[in-house]
């Protein structure tokens, strides 16, 4: 079950770009993989339903959190776009959203995953 409400994250991408941060290699990966060249393009892509067939993967504690006394959860999703299987992970710290990852998915068995979803055996989250 997701820790965060995806629709609040999506709305923040549309309305409040100052409170969204991109860490790690998000900008470089988005440029190379999805042809999104900067933060405004990435956030516009998210807010305009670019994450098609969104599927929740998991929620877990942020492993690189510098403050171990203040756990921060990370929600991860897979999506399809431009014929590619993508992966996004994000979290929230106080009033700021943080996009931790935005790249190709490493899940190679999407045929089985899609079949299980159509059969109603796994939860699908649509945007």
């Amino acid at each position: 079950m997701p820790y965060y409400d995806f629709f609040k994250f999506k709305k923040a991408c549309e309305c409040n770009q100052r409170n969204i941060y991109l860490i790690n290699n998000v900008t470089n990966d988005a440029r190379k993989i999805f042809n999104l060249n900067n933060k405004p393009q990435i956030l516009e892509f998210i807010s305009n339903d670019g994450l098609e067939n969104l599927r929740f993967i998991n929620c877990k504690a942020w492993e690189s959190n510098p403050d171990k006394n203040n756990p921060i959860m990370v929600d991860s999703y897979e999506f399809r776009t431009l014929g590619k299987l993508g992966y996004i992970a994000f979290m929230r710290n106080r009033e700021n959203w943080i996009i931790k990852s935005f790249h190709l998915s490493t899940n190679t068995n999407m045929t089985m995953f899609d079949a299980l979803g159509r059969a109603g055996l796994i939860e699908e989250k649509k945007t």
Side-chain angles (χ1 to χ4, degrees):
M1 172 167 268
Y3 188 79
Y4 305 104
D5 182 337
F6 180 82
F7 296 103
K8 288 182 181 177
F9 167 69
K10 182 179 166 184
K11 188 69 172 171
C13 289
E14 178 183 357
C15 299
N16 199 3
Q17 296 185 6
R18 288 174 296 161
N19 287 3
I20 299 180
Y21 294 90
L22 312 178
I23 63 171
N24 300 334
N25 292 319
V26 169
T27 304
N28 290 335
D29 289 344
R31 182 179 301 114
K32 286 189 277 186
I33 299 166
F34 303 110
N35 199 31
L36 302 169
N37 293 312
N38 52 44
K39 179 181 171 180
Q41 287 182 359
I42 295 167
L43 299 184
E44 181 179 349
F45 179 79
I46 294 168
S47 66
N48 286 323
D49 297 324
L51 307 178
E52 299 173 22
N53 300 319
L54 191 69
R55 291 192 179 107
F56 175 73
I57 296 183
N58 66 19
C59 176
K60 63 180 189 173
W62 181 28
E63 295 169 1
S64 300
N65 185 354
D67 182 1
K68 301 301 181 194
N69 294 324
N70 182 24
I72 296 174
M73 302 307 290
V74 179
D75 281 355
S76 302
Y77 291 83
E78 283 184 326
F79 62 91
R80 291 197 182 273
T81 190
L82 305 170
K84 298 176 183 178
L85 180 62
Y87 173 89
I88 187 169
F90 61 88
M91 55 192 158
R92 188 174 176 116
N93 185 6
R94 298 182 193 111
E95 67 277 349
N96 298 315
W97 290 97
I98 301 164
I99 300 176
K100 178 186 165 294
S101 301
F102 190 68
H103 53 73
L104 290 177
S105 175
T106 58
N107 186 353
T108 58
N109 194 1
M110 282 309 292
T111 302
M112 180 61 77
F113 192 82
D114 289 340
L116 291 171
R118 285 192 301 276
L121 299 174
I122 57 173
E123 178 183 340
E124 285 192 41
K125 177 118 178 167
K126 302 283 184 190
T127 57

